[in-house]
Amino acid sequence: QVQLVESGGGLVQAGGSLRLSCAASGGTFSRYTMGWIRQAPGKEREFVACITWRMGSTYYLDSVKGRFTISRDNAKNTVYLQMNSLKPEDTAVYYCAADRSLSYNDVVVSLSYDYWGQGTQVTVSS
């Protein structure tokens, strides 16, 4: 059983930056693909970014490319999401998720992650 705890959310003005962290415990972190998924009020959850466990390949939502960067530190069992040039439309609860899969469909399209964190609120004011 993997436990995921997110931190780093908050209120920021448009154009600002935040760094989200997700600390994992209870599993072999280096063998999990890690993802960030967000959900805004009244909207469906949306894939943001993920980083695979084998090659460290990364995938991003088109609207965050060039602004967000996902990274992982296997020694610290932590995945990060550096968010720059934030926009009001980035406002959402951001969830960290983990899965053993390397399938693009699993971790980007269907978001069929086995483990999820509780989420951290990110609010970007205009």
Side-chain angles (χ1 to χ4, degrees), residues 52-121:
T52 65
W53 61 266
R54 179 173 288 173
M55 300 293 292
S57 300
T58 57
Y59 301 100
Y60 294 93
L61 176 69
D62 283 348
S63 63
V64 309
K65 285 180 181 177
R67 299 189 298 123
F68 291 10
T69 302
I70 189 170
S71 61
R72 65 191 298 160
D73 185 338
N74 289 340
K76 295 183 178 180
N77 290 355
T78 301
V79 63
Y80 304 97
L81 186 68
Q82 177 66 43
M83 305 186 295
N84 300 328
S85 302
L86 282 161
K87 304 176 180 180
E89 51 263 43
D90 294 319
T91 295
V93 176
Y94 283 71
Y95 297 92
C96 172
D99 197 87
R100 295 292 301 272
S101 178
L102 293 169
S103 163
Y104 181 88
N105 185 72
D106 287 347
V107 299
V108 176
V109 179
S110 63
L111 303 181
S112 57
Y113 289 83
D114 285 337
Y115 304 102
W116 293 76
Q118 293 299 306
T120 186
Q121 176 71 47

Side-chain angles (χ1 to χ4, degrees), residues 6-22:
E6 302 98 335
S7 61
L11 173 64
V12 64
Q13 289 189 332
S17 297
L18 284 174
R19 187 196 197 200
L20 304 184
S21 300
C22 172

